[in-house]
Amino acid sequence: MESNPVSKPNEIRQSVDLFLSNWKILLFCSVVALFLGYTYLRYTTYQYNANATIKIIDEKQSKKLPSIGEMTSGGLFSDGTDKIKDEIETIQSRTLISNVVKALDLNIRCFAEGNIKEREIYRNPPVKLSFFASDSIIHQVDTTLYIKIKSPTQFLAFKKEGKSLIDRDEQTGVPYTFGEKIKTGFGGMVLTPNIGDHAPVIGSNLKISITSVSKIVNSYQRKIKVSTDKGSSVIKLDLNESNSYKAVDVLNQIIDEYNNDVLLDKESVVKTTSDFINNRLKQVSEELEKVDYTAEDLQKKEGLTALDSRADLNLQTGQQLQSQISSTANNIEMLSFLEEEISSTNKSNDMLPADIGIGDSNTSQVIKRHNELVAERDRILRNSTTKNPVVIQLNNQIESLKSNLLNSVKNIKQTSLLTLNNLSRDNARIQGRLSAAPKKARQFRDIKRQQDIKESLYLYLLEKREESAIRLGMYTPNAKIIDSAYSSHRPVAPNKMIVYIASLLFGLGIPIAFIYISDLLNTKIYKKEDLVDTLNIPYLGDIPKSSKKQKLVKKIDYSPKAEAFRIVKSNIDFMLRNIKGRSKKLFITSTVPQEGKSHTSSNLAASIAFSGKSVLLIETDIRVPKLLEYLNIKDQSKQGLSDYIADTSLKPQDIVLKHEDNPLLDIISSGTIPPNPSELLMNERVEELFNYFDTKYDYIVADTSAVGIVSDTLLISHLADMFIYVVSADNIDKRLLQHVALPLYTEKRLPNMTMLLNSVSLGKKGYGGYGYGYGYGNNPQRKKKWYKFGKS
């Protein structure tokens, strides 16, 4: 079976109408939700963003041009060591962030307490804390101090009792004077007030929070975001904080601490070299001093002031050899020093002296590489352990380099010793030629030679020490600042637009969901579609809900209710068009009482009578009569239907009432309420009554009992030409209708049964109606409201 293409749009429209019919609830919930959103934004703690950008400088790469392979493989920093990730780990390390927290005193915060929320005062707090205990103790303290400013010189201190300062009794506070020592469990402290515009306000409430550094570090490790692009040496730092100035200061301090950490690593190599040179300078100075004293003693003792000039040529040759011997001996001496340094196991660190002038470039490169690996390992160890695979790998590389370096130094030293021996033999040959020289002169020359060697070594060490000092001052930070920390000082969270949109969606979502679920679970009848879908019974029409003050329609009536009854009358005439020459008998019934049977009967009868047709309205509901009340007939003393049935002497015309305002409308009331209504209605006089008036009226309208409660109506149902089954909107359950009304229709126990929906609320449960009273039904004499002028 093909689905109706119109059904889905109709369902959508019905859903829309359902929600629009509850627009007051939706509007109220939306306003409440927006107010809650406004309240949240008014009292929440805003988050501000700060960001900074730095570039990591690679000293090795800066000394040479990158190759095409390096650039095409992802950048200068795309080698296996992934140095940028190492630098990011260093920036996010606990050690570095801990230094930042301590440098900025982030573990001590001052808050101004308000009626609802508290606000942190970061820059220029009204009071300053000073401690007698050491920093190592203060950095582990977790406590909160509440104070109330009483005067420029005094304040009250309160204990932390879970109450705000506003709710505290001042009698529980301990008075103190600014500058007075306050005793605490972690030592004494002193509060001093700020001055000028930042002085504490009298009567203000302050909260001073002291948090352990470790907790603050944990917090910032989560909040600080460090990122970079693949193959790039640029690192971006991002931080969200409740105070924008604090976020800026934290990022700038992180960059400073990182650069300081890198400089310390670089300076450690220079310091090791300087210590090595200073130690050797001290030793060579002592040896030179001894040689100088020996030469001085010999000159004083022998009276020698100059060398013999007879062997100038040999002396010149000997001097050249002496120079070579001196240089070689110097080199051997430095190699011995270096060998001793490499083999030493009692050093404070593994750094080796660099550029000590041993005359071998390969050895210098190996020493430099060794020191770089040691520095890299030490930096990783600050935030790791010796079991780290990277540290183990670096240690293996360091030991391998050190072993190779030691072998290389030994080989160079052995070669230098052979060279020294050869030079010594040549020098001995020259000295043999000078054998004729006085013995004392030769002794002096020996001493002079030693003096020259020591002095040359001493001057060389002084030169190297100066070079180390100059190199120390030339080191630059590792991070180049591209953009210092910046904040727009505008909150980034919560987003006002998102909060208001979320509030509006929340305010609409809850009532919409409630309305939708309620509609799904609701089994009541509200509109024509509900009734038609529930019962496949002819639908006569619907009557809109009206004011209780106007129960009965009038002759000149432009109300929606009057128009609805006119439409119902037209439908009845169409359905009963074949009945001619006698009255059309309309029986009104319902499932249960209070569904509007009497209201429908009286108004339908009045509406038909106003159209020029004669109508007899009979109240057959002799259990709970209400018809005369609806018709506003105060004189209820006349006998009615029950009296006529019980008293055979009464004639039909004796119980007929005339309506004062409607001459074509006659009424037969229920009469005296009998003890046996069902037995009374089974009397043949009931049928005789209907037969008597069958040709005297155009319409006979009978107000019957509810068929779902009693069987009275079924006893006289055969007398009806049409049954109008009244269903009260927003009152009757669908399941009850299926249980009561549907069998009556299918079994044809109620002749020509039709359904009439009563008391329909326009807009209720998606019922838009067709606007009874709109257009032609409007009162042409009624004045328009001022806000409807200009509308057709």
Side-chain angles (χ1 to χ4, degrees):
M1 182 176 181
E2 295 183 359
S3 61
N4 188 354
V6 185
S7 61
K8 188 172 183 180
N10 286 342
E11 291 177 2
I12 296 175
R13 178 55 191 267
Q14 290 174 10
S15 298
V16 173
D17 290 340
L18 171 64
F19 299 133
L20 291 180
S21 66
N22 294 277
W23 67 270
K24 293 182 180 179
I25 297 176
L26 297 178
L27 179 61
F28 174 77
C29 293
S30 299
V31 171
V32 171
L34 289 174
F35 176 74
L36 293 176
Y38 168 78
T39 305
Y40 169 76
L41 292 173
R42 172 68 177 81
Y43 295 106
T44 190
T45 300
Y46 285 90
Q47 293 291 313
Y48 299 86
N49 177 264
N51 52 75
T53 308
I54 60 175
K55 180 178 181 181
I56 304 300
I57 300 173
D58 188 3
E59 291 185 353
K60 291 196 301 180
Q61 294 290 347
S62 64
K63 293 178 182 179
K64 65 184 183 70
L65 292 175
S67 65
I68 295 178
E70 288 175 334
M71 291 187 291
T72 57
S73 62
L76 302 180
F77 288 85
S78 59
D79 56 353
T81 56
D82 209 350
K83 293 183 179 179
I84 290 299
K85 289 187 178 179
D86 293 342
E87 302 306 321
I88 291 177
E89 290 297 327
T90 301
I91 292 173
Q92 292 181 314
S93 64
R94 291 187 60 84
T95 302
L96 190 142
I97 296 179
S98 177
N99 293 336
V100 173
V101 173
K102 294 173 183 177
L104 298 177
D105 291 331
L106 299 179
N107 59 318
I108 302 175
R109 295 174 292 171
C110 180
F111 298 89
E113 290 207 339
N115 293 329
I116 297 179
K117 62 176 291 187
E118 57 187 25
R119 176 178 57 88
E120 182 180 0
I121 307 174
Y122 172 65
R123 290 188 172 178
N124 302 308
V127 295
K128 181 180 180 182
L129 273 179
S130 300
F131 302 94
F132 289 91
S134 62
D135 289 342
S136 59
I137 297 177
I138 301 303
H139 292 161
Q140 298 178 1
V141 172
D142 276 299
T143 188
T144 304
L145 177 65
Y146 295 90
I147 65 173
K148 184 180 185 67
I149 308 300
K150 296 299 293 180
S151 70
T153 59
Q154 290 185 330
F155 64 91
L156 294 177
F158 298 87
K159 295 181 179 180
K160 184 177 181 181
E161 298 174 349
K163 299 180 181 178
S164 66
L165 283 174
I166 300 172
D167 300 330
R168 294 176 188 265
D169 185 2
E170 292 189 6
Q171 301 296 328
T172 61
V174 180
Y176 287 97
T177 302
F178 284 113
E180 180 182 352
K181 182 178 180 181
I182 303 174
K183 295 182 179 180
T184 65
F186 53 87
M189 64 180 183
V190 173
L191 263 72
T192 55
N194 209 329
I195 58 175
D197 296 336
H198 307 291
V201 179
I202 297 176
S204 62
N205 301 306
L206 301 176
K207 183 181 84 170
I208 301 174
S209 175
I210 306 174
T211 310
S212 64
V213 172
S214 61
K215 291 184 179 179
I216 301 296
V217 170
N218 292 337
S219 173
Y220 277 104
Q221 277 191 310
R222 292 189 299 267
K223 291 194 292 185
I224 297 172
K225 308 298 180 185
V226 185
S227 61
T228 185
D229 295 330
K230 184 177 180 181
S232 174
S233 60
V234 176
I235 294 178
K236 298 177 182 178
L237 291 85
D238 192 87
L239 173 62
N240 284 352
E241 256 290 356
S242 58
N243 187 289
S244 57
Y245 296 102
K246 180 191 282 191
V248 170
D249 290 347
V250 169
L251 291 186
N252 284 332
Q253 191 65 32
I254 285 176
I255 297 173
D256 291 342
E257 293 293 337
Y258 170 73
N259 280 331
N260 291 337
D261 182 67
V262 173
L263 287 176
L264 287 175
D265 287 340
K266 293 180 178 180
E267 290 172 359
S268 63
V269 178
V270 179
K271 185 177 183 300
T272 301
T273 304
S274 298
D275 293 341
F276 170 78
I277 293 175
N278 288 331
N279 293 333
R280 295 302 175 254
L281 270 175
K282 182 178 179 181
Q283 183 178 346
V284 172
S285 176
E286 293 174 354
E287 293 175 355
L288 181 58
E289 185 178 6
K290 291 179 180 180
V291 174
D292 288 341
Y293 280 128
T294 302
E296 182 182 355
D297 292 340
L298 182 60
Q299 286 180 342
K300 289 180 180 178
K301 182 178 179 181
E302 303 295 338
L304 298 175
T305 58
L307 295 175
D308 194 358
S309 59
R310 292 178 296 177
D312 291 338
L313 181 60
N314 291 330
L315 287 175
Q316 290 178 3
T317 304
Q319 288 176 356
Q320 293 177 358
L321 291 173
Q322 291 297 335
S323 177
Q324 295 177 7
I325 291 172
S326 175
S327 176
T328 305
N330 182 28
N331 195 34
I332 293 172
E333 187 78 6
M334 296 304 296
L335 288 170
S336 299
F337 293 160
L338 181 58
E339 182 180 359
E340 180 181 344
E341 186 71 11
I342 295 172
S343 302
S344 177
T345 59
N346 297 324
K347 298 192 303 177
S348 58
N349 58 54
D350 292 331
M351 293 290 185
L352 295 177
D355 297 329
I356 58 175
I358 60 177
D360 185 74
S361 59
N362 291 332
T363 303
S364 299
Q365 290 297 325
V366 173
I367 293 175
K368 183 177 180 181
R369 178 59 179 164
H370 172 273
N371 289 339
E372 289 176 353
L373 292 175
V374 170
E376 184 177 358
R377 181 200 63 188
D378 292 343
R379 287 181 62 189
I380 295 175
L381 281 175
R382 292 194 187 103
N383 302 299
S384 181
T385 64
T386 56
K387 296 182 179 180
N388 190 321
V390 177
V391 174
I392 295 173
Q393 183 181 2
L394 289 174
N395 283 333
N396 293 335
Q397 294 180 17
I398 291 169
E399 291 299 323
S400 178
L401 283 177
K402 188 180 290 186
S403 175
N404 294 337
L405 182 61
L406 184 60
N407 293 332
S408 178
V409 170
K410 288 181 178 180
N411 291 336
I412 296 172
K413 181 180 177 182
Q414 189 66 32
T415 303
S416 298
L417 286 173
L418 293 175
T419 303
L420 182 61
N421 291 334
N422 293 333
L423 291 174
S424 297
R425 285 194 296 270
D426 293 341
N427 184 55
R429 188 172 59 254
I430 295 299
Q431 295 302 321
R433 297 175 183 176
L434 297 174
S435 58
K439 182 179 179 180
K440 295 179 180 179
R442 288 199 305 271
Q443 293 176 351
F444 180 78
R445 283 195 301 271
D446 291 339
I447 294 175
K448 182 63 176 175
R449 186 185 305 117
Q450 295 178 16
Q451 189 178 24
D452 291 341
I453 292 173
K454 298 300 181 182
E455 184 177 357
S456 174
L457 179 59
Y458 183 78
L459 293 174
Y460 176 78
L461 292 173
L462 286 176
E463 180 183 354
K464 288 299 179 182
R465 185 175 67 178
E466 189 63 25
E467 289 178 359
S468 297
I470 294 173
R471 191 183 304 114
L472 180 62
M474 293 176 63
Y475 280 129
T476 58
N478 207 33
K480 176 185 176 182
I481 299 176
I482 297 178
D483 287 323
S484 298
Y486 169 78
S487 174
S488 63
H489 303 292
R490 294 180 180 178
V492 296
N495 187 299
K496 290 186 178 180
M497 183 60 67
I498 293 178
V499 169
Y500 281 126
I501 292 175
S503 300
L504 184 60
L505 293 176
F506 180 76
L508 290 174
I510 290 181
I512 286 176
F514 177 77
I515 293 170
Y516 181 74
I517 294 174
S518 299
D519 182 61
L520 289 179
L521 300 177
N522 197 345
T523 58
K524 290 184 178 181
I525 300 294
Y526 291 94
K527 56 185 183 293
K528 173 184 175 180
E529 288 76 8
D530 296 338
L531 187 57
V532 172
D533 293 341
T534 303
L535 301 174
N536 189 17
I537 300 175
Y539 185 77
L540 187 62
D542 45 55
I543 307 300
K545 189 175 184 178
S546 60
S547 173
K548 293 182 179 180
K549 296 180 180 179
Q550 185 180 354
K551 295 182 179 180
L552 197 65
V553 297
K554 300 177 182 178
K555 185 173 184 179
I556 302 176
D557 196 339
Y558 299 95
S559 66
K561 181 168 73 172
E563 185 68 22
F565 276 108
R566 293 187 190 107
I567 294 174
V568 170
K569 173 188 173 297
S570 300
N571 293 336
I572 292 173
D573 289 340
F574 177 77
M575 297 179 69
L576 301 180
R577 62 186 180 277
N578 294 327
I579 299 178
K580 296 178 181 179
R582 64 178 181 87
S583 61
K584 300 175 181 178
K585 292 180 276 298
L586 310 177
F587 281 33
I588 316 296
T589 188
S590 65
T591 306
V592 293
Q594 305 297 325
E595 289 197 73
K597 295 186 289 72
S598 300
H599 172 268
T600 302
S601 302
S602 57
N603 279 280
L604 180 60
S607 179
I608 295 173
F610 287 141
S611 68
K613 302 292 183 180
S614 60
V615 181
L616 176 62
L617 178 60
I618 303 175
E619 186 176 21
T620 61
D621 186 359
I622 57 179
R623 296 175 183 268
V624 187
K626 290 185 178 180
L627 196 60
L628 296 181
E629 179 184 348
Y630 274 99
L631 295 172
N632 197 21
I633 297 177
K634 298 180 180 179
D635 184 13
Q636 301 182 9
S637 59
K638 194 169 184 177
Q639 294 175 321
L641 177 64
S642 60
D643 302 304
Y644 168 77
I645 298 172
D647 188 357
T648 57
S649 64
L650 289 175
K651 296 180 180 181
Q653 61 268 23
D654 295 337
I655 60 174
V656 177
L657 289 172
K658 295 290 184 180
H659 196 279
E660 296 178 356
D661 299 329
N662 196 338
L664 295 178
L665 177 61
D666 294 341
I667 305 103
I668 296 179
S669 66
S670 62
T672 305
I673 299 176
N676 53 345
S678 297
E679 296 177 1
L680 201 63
L681 289 174
M682 293 174 63
N683 195 297
E684 59 184 9
R685 284 177 62 82
V686 175
E687 187 172 354
E688 291 176 359
L689 179 69
F690 276 89
N691 292 333
Y692 176 80
F693 292 112
D694 192 25
T695 58
K696 294 180 173 55
Y697 293 91
D698 296 321
Y699 287 87
I700 297 177
V701 179
D703 179 19
T704 66
S705 303
V707 293
I709 303 298
V710 294
S711 61
D712 298 1
T713 302
L714 299 176
L715 298 175
I716 58 175
S717 61
H718 63 282
L719 302 175
D721 294 321
M722 173 185 285
F723 257 92
I724 301 175
Y725 199 102
V726 178
V727 176
S728 178
D730 194 14
N731 185 36
I732 194 70
D733 194 289
K734 297 178 183 179
R735 295 167 294 182
L736 184 59
L737 281 177
Q738 291 175 337
H739 178 71
V740 176
L742 188 60
L744 293 175
Y745 177 76
T746 55
E747 296 171 8
K748 297 182 180 181
R749 300 180 67 183
L750 300 181
N752 206 8
M753 179 177 171
T754 60
M755 306 300 293
L756 178 69
L757 188 60
N758 183 43
S759 190
V760 177
S761 296
L762 297 181
K764 182 72 173 178
K765 295 290 288 181
Y767 179 77
Y770 296 100
Y772 291 113
Y774 180 81
Y776 295 110
N778 277 339
N779 186 352
Q781 305 299 325
R782 186 178 61 186
K783 294 183 179 181
K784 290 185 177 181
K785 301 292 184 179
W786 64 270
Y787 53 84
K788 292 185 178 180
F789 284 172
K791 296 182 179 180
S792 59

